[in-house]
Amino acid sequence: MSTLIFRTIAPYLSALMVLFSVFVLLRGHNEPGGGFIGGLIAASALAIYGIAYGVDVVRRALWVDPNALAGFGLFMAAVDGLSAILAGKPLLTGLWFVPVIFGVEIPLSTVLVFDVGVYFVVVGSLASIALALEESD
């Protein structure tokens, strides 16, 4: 399905979906959403872009192999879960840091690192599946 209208709107729709997926990712540790839902939205954006332009264009746009992205996300989530043990807390306990940057307190947490890891796992694994299915056609 590579109509002119679809190929014209696909880059804008994909960019908007990726931007929304990052919003859902960052909002997720305080409200519903997070790494999994954000990753699903981003993987859907890559699938739409792949349907419009082909697998090779999506692979060039990703910069890294989707399987490597999923592996890195799994490593991030695992290391984040173990960081609580190093702090003397139970596994996967959220730790908060509030650094002051340019006079502004910015609350950071290990929960966000875990969510980013889940995001990478979902995007990498689903992009790998979608690209493999699109290559088989």
Side-chain angles (χ1 to χ4, degrees):
M1 179 165 127
S2 61
T3 64
L4 178 63
I5 295 172
F6 185 60
R7 280 182 291 155
T8 303
I9 197 70
Y12 301 108
L13 181 62
S14 296
L16 186 64
M17 288 175 71
V18 169
L19 184 66
F20 183 66
S21 78
V22 172
F23 168 75
V24 170
L25 166 69
L26 295 176
R27 186 187 126 227
H29 65 278
N30 291 328
E31 303 208 12
F36 186 76
I37 301 301
L40 287 176
I41 296 168
S44 299
L46 292 174
I48 287 172
Y49 198 69
I51 291 169
Y53 288 101
V55 174
D56 294 333
V57 176
V58 175
R59 288 197 187 275
R60 281 194 308 263
L62 276 176
W63 293 334
V64 295
D65 182 50
N67 292 327
L69 186 65
F72 178 70
L74 185 61
F75 176 75
M76 273 181 68
V79 167
D80 178 65
L82 294 174
S83 67
I85 292 177
L86 296 175
K89 307 251 182 191
L91 181 67
L92 291 174
T93 300
L95 304 173
W96 290 86
F97 308 99
V98 185
V100 178
I101 300 174
F102 299 117
V104 178
E105 290 183 349
I106 300 176
L108 300 175
S109 69
T110 58
V111 177
L112 181 61
V113 175
F114 183 81
D115 270 347
V116 171
V118 171
Y119 180 87
F120 286 158
V121 168
V122 172
V123 170
S125 59
L126 290 181
S128 178
I129 291 169
L131 292 176
L133 288 174
E134 287 178 20
E135 282 177 340
S136 66
D137 283 344

